[in-house]
Amino acid sequence: MHSAIGQNTDARSIKSADGLNLFNQHSVSIIIVNYNGLNWLKACLESVRCLEGVITEVIVVDNASTDGSMEALCAYPWVKVVQSDQNLGFAGGNNLGLRDCSFDYVLLLNNDTVIVPNFLQPLCDYLDQHPEVGVVQGKMQLPRFGGALDVCGSYLTWLGLPYHYGFYKTDQPQYQHSRPVFSGKGACLMFRRDIIKRIGGFLFDDSFFCYYEESDFCHRVWLAGWEVHFVATTPIQHFMGATAGGPQAGFVLRHYLRNMTFSLLSNLSIPSLFRIMPFFFSVQLASAAISVITFRKAQFQAHLESLLLPFQKFKAIIARRKLIKIIRRRSDGDLFARTMINPRMGYFVKTFTGQLAQYYDNPLPSSHN
């Protein structure tokens, strides 16, 4: 059950009163999912209030917060608030918010982000100029990590694990080019609303709750014949992990690995499963063994769940594979040619040991620029 509170005045009528030419204006629905994120949400909404050049409607989905978020939202009458009576997670919350979107472009925005006034215009222009692109991600920086970059798009690898390009790096020339990526990051992800019906009729899988849901979404977008691009915008600020207990929390790893396993098993073709999944499960098995040796209980449980998931979710995987067969318009070979980049083995070692900032990303081949 949910309820909509404080229906915002239609953005088009507001802009018309100000004398803007609506025919040439971009219109964007912004969905912000909130769960006990009051301290971050205020700064996010204040930055959204200052957006320039784009007509927006702002939808905040509150996942049954208990920190006074609902009361605080009364101070923002221009925000449409959708209240859930339970915590639906990032996946379910955005699915709920999507039902109330009116505009053709939809931006998913974390409640722990602060954006700049001219941020949306380049994303809208990019979608206008590239009709083959269905999803775009903007550039983000991480103030809690010295202003390093957040992920500048992710790529597939031969291990099945993602290669997060630019993560924890200083901004350099190789991160200043817009290009195709396998997946954008859900903290700042814009898409054409009409692609939802082309990718199975849903945005995120509700069962994911949180983590890897955007990669599963982007995977389906590619398979349905669209593209996903990173757009080198002026960066916004992302206070990553501010409302999830930190990026290294066991909760994060458990959901991330479980959802990744389900997505790969569901979306890859049969030949691709035999090509990738033996390596993927070998990594999970080795990581589980290392976790036992190093007494990391939470990490061991996360890897164990990943290994057991094919048996626990067998029927759900088969059902998803039938759906993918219906929507597929692109072969895995074409997908891999566009979105698979294999970093040096040091990338995975440094990721596992928490030293990813020390890994140097090679500039991408010209075919990806």
Side-chain angles (χ1 to χ4, degrees):
M1 294 291 293
H2 76 280
S3 60
I5 301 175
Q7 173 70 49
N8 61 309
T9 305
D10 184 71
R12 292 184 183 273
S13 63
I14 293 175
K15 296 300 181 179
S16 295
D18 290 342
L20 294 180
N21 184 348
L22 296 181
F23 184 78
N24 294 323
Q25 282 291 109
H26 289 109
S27 301
V28 180
S29 298
I30 302 175
I31 305 176
I32 302 171
V33 175
N34 178 69
Y35 174 66
N36 289 338
L38 175 60
N39 293 334
W40 303 101
L41 181 62
K42 289 180 178 179
C44 179
L45 290 176
E46 290 300 330
S47 70
V48 170
R49 189 202 297 266
C50 298
L51 279 169
E52 299 173 350
V54 178
I55 300 170
T56 61
E57 64 174 1
V58 181
I59 301 161
V60 173
V61 179
D62 189 78
N63 272 333
S65 294
T66 58
D67 65 346
S69 291
M70 286 299 300
E71 293 78 6
L73 283 167
C74 293
Y76 302 91
W78 45 274
V79 172
K80 180 175 183 179
V81 181
V82 179
Q83 184 179 21
S84 172
D85 59 6
Q86 61 181 312
N87 185 3
L88 301 173
F90 187 78
N94 277 297
N95 287 342
L96 189 59
L98 185 63
R99 302 176 190 175
D100 288 284
C101 291
S102 305
F103 297 149
D104 294 335
Y105 291 166
V106 178
L107 174 71
L108 308 184
L109 190 66
N110 267 26
N111 63 347
D112 58 354
T113 57
V114 175
I115 63 180
V116 294
N118 63 345
F119 178 70
L120 283 187
Q121 190 72 48
L123 293 177
C124 294
D125 290 342
Y126 195 91
L127 287 174
D128 287 349
Q129 296 161 12
H130 299 82
E132 75 282 6
V133 177
V135 181
V136 290
Q137 180 213 309
K139 182 183 287 188
M140 295 176 281
Q141 290 180 317
L142 303 170
R144 300 176 71 202
F145 299 90
L149 292 174
D150 201 341
V151 179
C152 297
S154 300
Y155 293 92
L156 280 169
T157 70
W158 63 281
L159 291 175
L161 300 172
Y163 172 28
H164 297 312
Y165 197 68
F167 203 20
Y168 292 131
K169 308 301 188 299
T170 58
D171 202 351
Q172 300 176 40
Q174 61 259 47
Y175 311 123
Q176 296 167 9
H177 299 281
S178 302
R179 60 187 183 274
V181 295
F182 171 66
S183 172
K185 189 162 185 176
C188 177
L189 202 67
M190 181 183 286
F191 59 90
R192 304 177 191 272
R193 188 159 61 100
D194 63 0
I195 70 172
I196 297 299
K197 60 181 178 290
R198 295 270 301 274
I199 63 168
F202 63 98
L203 172 59
F204 294 147
D205 190 315
D206 280 327
S207 69
F208 278 24
F209 191 76
C210 59
Y211 300 107
Y212 204 80
E213 64 282 291
E214 73 270 62
S215 294
D216 179 71
F217 164 65
C218 290
H219 197 162
R220 285 183 284 122
V221 169
W222 275 103
L223 294 179
W226 297 83
E227 296 183 8
V228 180
H229 285 206
F230 166 77
V231 181
T233 59
T234 300
I236 67 172
Q237 304 301 305
H238 179 206
F239 296 86
M240 187 182 68
T243 58
Q248 301 300 323
F251 172 89
V252 174
L253 183 62
R254 181 165 58 89
H255 281 78
Y256 189 75
L257 291 179
R258 183 185 66 189
N259 295 341
M260 187 192 312
T261 304
F262 179 89
S263 181
L264 292 173
L265 289 172
S266 301
N267 297 336
L268 291 173
S269 67
I270 295 296
S272 298
L273 288 177
F274 283 100
R275 172 182 176 182
I276 291 176
M277 298 312 292
F279 297 106
F280 178 82
F281 284 122
S282 294
V283 170
Q284 302 311 314
L285 186 60
S287 298
I290 294 173
S291 298
V292 171
I293 296 172
T294 56
F295 302 101
R296 298 179 179 181
K297 182 178 179 180
Q299 285 84 345
F300 169 75
Q301 291 176 334
H303 292 295
L304 181 62
E305 284 192 30
S306 172
L307 291 165
L308 294 177
L309 184 133
F311 307 100
Q312 297 171 340
K313 297 288 186 179
F314 180 77
K315 290 183 178 179
I317 291 169
I318 295 301
R320 169 70 80 82
R321 292 189 62 82
K322 291 179 179 178
L323 174 66
I324 296 301
K325 185 177 181 180
I326 294 172
I327 69 170
R328 182 185 284 272
R329 299 292 183 273
R330 188 190 305 274
S331 69
D332 277 8
D334 183 37
L335 174 65
F336 294 165
R338 301 292 305 281
T339 66
M340 181 175 281
I341 295 180
N342 296 304
R344 303 179 302 280
M345 189 55 63
Y347 171 83
F348 301 105
V349 174
K350 292 185 182 298
T351 298
F352 186 82
T353 58
Q355 300 175 315
L356 188 56
Q358 300 175 17
Y359 179 84
Y360 175 76
D361 288 321
N362 289 327
L364 295 179
S366 58
S367 61
H368 287 85
N369 289 332

